[in-house]
Amino acid sequence: MKTPRLAALALLLSLAGLAAAASHSGLDLSGLDRAVRPQDDLFRAGNGHWLATTEIPADKSSFGMVARLRDLSDQRVRTLVEGLAAARPKAGSTEQKIGAYYASFVDTAAIDKAGLAPVKPLLDGIAALQTRDQLASWLGRQVGAVDQPVVLSVDADFKQPGINRLGLNQGGLGLPDRDYYLKTDDTRMAAARTAYQAYLQTLARAAGLAEGAATRAFAFEQRLAEAQWPAEENRDPQKIYNPMTPAELAAKAPGLDWAALFAAAALPAQDRVIVAQPSYVTAAARLLAEAPLDDIRAYLALRALDGSADVLPKALREARFAFRGTALSGAKSEQPRWQQAVADLNNALGEAVGEAYVKRYFAAADRARMLKLVDNLLAAYGESIDGLTWMTPPTQAKAKEKLSKYLVKIGYPDIWRSYAALDVKPGDAVGNRLRAARFEWQRQAAKAGKPVDKREWGMTPQTVNAYYNPTFNEIVFPAAVLQPPLYNTQADDAVNYGAIGAVIGHEISHGFDDSGAQFDGDGLLANWWTDEDRKAFEKVGERLVAQYAAYEPIAGKHINGKLTLGENIADLSGLQIAYKAYLRSLGGKPAPVIDGLTGPQRFFMGWSQAWREKMREPRRLQQLTVDPHSPAEFRANGAAVNHDGFHDAFKTKPGDKMFKPAEERIRIW
């Protein structure tokens, strides 16, 4: 994600002699660039030929290992869904709902014929808003269905992690982030703003909105953006944990009838609300109280239309893609309609689809193998904590205690959600989406103030991703991420540990990144550090911020080292832990040479190829602005350059582009 060493020259000779035949190790040998030395650029050594010969598909803004896995997962879901439809399931059954939802989305002829009629009740409701009281109630009824300035959610309370609380967060922007509105000197963002305003004009004309509606809506969003917090500030759990009583919220954010909004949102009575960005919520409430209702109605109508545009007539679908697909992400053509339908279906009935997915595509043996691998990585992490030189014994003991309490979830949940109350109507793509959104919100709302159920999952089994949840102190790996090339039961251990092992190590490490390390083993936001150790940890983090801030993925745009710090810590620490776990797996025996590479070299090549990706520039701009993850090549090289094992495996020396003196390497966990 090493033991015998090979001189740099010998490695180059061995790589030069590798055939493009299938690898015995699980590496893609044909993707290597034999003209690039790993000592100079590990990412391109492992992926250079693939980068040079692979075109990003026209319907994608990026392409690589993860995109391949997502395409595979989507194709499997399509096969399942079309099989369910062919079996003619019983009316009202979950299987029938899955088939009807999917079929309604792909039936563009019916969507075109219906015109704007499916969304007309929503638009009429907005047009009928005449008072601020009506506005508050309407916002409450549409939570989850229509994008709004203040986002409501229900999650575990940071200070009482066994209880779910209502949370308020900033939101309501049509562009990806506040920076797209505020950075007037950035030509790329200016182009995105222009494209967005053109898109809003198209939506407004199609819906017959009053002259100037798009301009007023954009100006409203501009004011929201001016009040929003920068992305990096939202990563600090201390800053975004601001509990208030409903009375305190009403006093600090006057202008919006919060009680009416909460009641209309079907929320039970709350004794505490967690406000993530208090200054923003105050500003948003003031704006909703002071802005002309014409402006607010225009804004809400266009947010509603944007949210449904892909299930509205062709002209609106095309306008949506021209903005969201091409202008924002760089894609040349739309994804196949079936694949868009799969994404929408996964949002609406995700666990129902997931239950069918794991029955066909995820074996019990895979779950058992993964649990064994995770156990090995957790043990390696514990040994690493024991060996830390910058941390004192009292904090080490607390870290080990937290690690011992990790909850591990592999593949799929043990208890599946019920969709019995969700109404899915054949031929009603817009209505199905809106009802599914409201259904999900009602499920969330019912949890507010109630005990947390740690059996719940935040991702579906068919999702190609993984996560760490600090309030549950859990690591979660859906079934779809546990497959080749990321995890290959036929590959050698070195490659698996370098790929899936480092991913697992990454998620484990999130419990000890700059944000996760503020929570204890019970998911409580609490300081378990000595002051001395916390300062030492933060000092190391500052060095990592500086390292990544020096990278410039596109001209004039550097990585935001503060925004990406948590992910960079997790990459660095995950790679360290996966390597230690790999060495443990050898049991003291030397690793064989396979495909001309030693075990340690295969480990780092596996790590390199796990980050294989190409990305279009508009999507890269969006990533650098809002995404806490660094671009793939900097994840691959940025972690490896600090790894003693990498330098040992490839015998780096001064003059090599990835050489870094031992005393300058950043070591955290």
Side-chain angles (χ1 to χ4, degrees), residues 152-158 160-169 241 274 441 444 447-450 452 456 469 471-472:
L152 275 61
S153 61
V154 177
D155 293 293
D157 188 318
F158 288 179
Q160 294 179 293
I163 299 295
N164 285 306
R165 299 286 184 199
L166 173 66
L168 305 183
N169 287 271
Y241 182 75
I274 312 301
W441 167 248
Q444 295 288 341
K447 298 191 299 182
K450 304 285 180 60
V452 164
E456 286 195 344
N469 179 356
T471 53
F472 283 29

Side-chain angles (χ1 to χ4, degrees), residues 258-499:
W258 295 101
L261 191 157
F262 294 162
L267 282 159
Q270 302 295 302
D271 61 355
R272 180 186 295 191
V273 178
I274 312 301
V275 182
Q277 305 91 8
S279 62
Y280 170 78
V281 170
T282 296
R286 183 187 306 118
L287 184 57
L288 288 167
E290 296 175 354
L293 278 170
D294 277 349
D295 293 4
I296 297 173
R297 286 191 292 262
Y299 162 78
L300 293 174
L302 291 173
R303 299 308 310 124
L305 285 165
D306 179 33
S308 295
D310 56 343
V311 282
L312 289 174
K314 183 177 181 180
L316 296 187
R317 296 197 301 272
E318 290 179 343
R320 180 184 184 277
F321 173 73
F323 169 59
R324 299 211 171 277
T326 301
L328 280 186
S329 300
K332 307 301 182 186
S333 64
E334 284 196 272
Q335 273 193 322
R337 189 68 183 176
W338 70 263
Q339 199 161 17
Q340 296 177 54
V342 165
D344 203 46
L345 176 65
N346 284 337
N347 284 332
L349 292 113
E351 283 203 9
V353 175
E355 187 173 5
Y357 182 97
V358 298
K359 284 179 181 176
R360 181 175 298 189
Y361 298 115
F362 191 68
D366 291 334
R367 204 182 202 195
R369 277 193 292 266
M370 280 301 301
L371 283 169
K372 184 177 180 181
L373 184 57
V374 171
D375 286 344
N376 199 7
L377 283 152
L378 286 169
Y381 212 105
E383 292 174 1
S384 183
I385 291 172
D386 288 336
L388 293 177
T389 58
W390 59 268
M391 182 179 280
T392 60
T395 309
Q396 284 177 315
K398 290 289 188 181
K400 290 287 290 291
E401 179 185 359
K402 176 172 183 174
L403 189 69
S404 72
K405 294 182 176 181
Y406 265 44
L407 176 62
V408 179
K409 295 177 178 176
I410 302 291
Y412 54 88
D414 293 321
I415 297 177
W416 300 98
R417 291 179 195 169
S418 169
Y419 293 87
L422 175 59
D423 183 19
V424 176
K425 297 180 180 179
D428 186 12
V430 171
N432 288 339
R433 175 181 290 175
L434 292 173
R435 284 187 295 273
R438 292 175 184 132
F439 168 81
E440 173 57 20
W441 167 248
Q442 288 164 4
R443 187 183 75 85
Q444 295 288 341
K447 298 191 299 182
K450 304 285 180 60
V452 164
D453 183 354
K454 287 193 173 184
R455 298 172 299 179
E456 286 195 344
W457 278 51
M459 286 180 181
T460 67
Q462 63 272 29
T463 300
V464 180
N465 211 330
Y467 67 93
Y468 170 77
N469 179 356
T471 53
F472 283 29
N473 194 29
E474 66 176 359
I475 48 175
V476 184
F477 303 95
V481 80
L482 307 175
Q483 55 191 343
L486 192 58
Y487 175 53
N488 186 352
T489 57
Q490 305 305 311
D492 118 270
D493 281 349
V495 175
N496 272 328
Y497 273 98

Side-chain angles (χ1 to χ4, degrees), residues 102-155:
Y102 177 88
S104 298
F105 192 102
V106 297
D107 191 353
T108 53
I111 289 171
D112 290 340
K113 184 177 180 181
L116 292 183
V119 80
K120 189 173 185 300
L122 193 57
L123 298 178
D124 288 347
I126 295 169
L129 297 175
Q130 299 299 319
T131 69
R132 310 290 166 166
D133 290 343
Q134 291 174 347
L135 172 63
S137 294
W138 185 91
L139 291 171
R141 291 193 300 275
Q142 302 303 330
V143 171
V146 177
D147 192 22
Q148 303 180 18
V150 179
V151 178
L152 275 61
S153 61
V154 177
D155 293 293

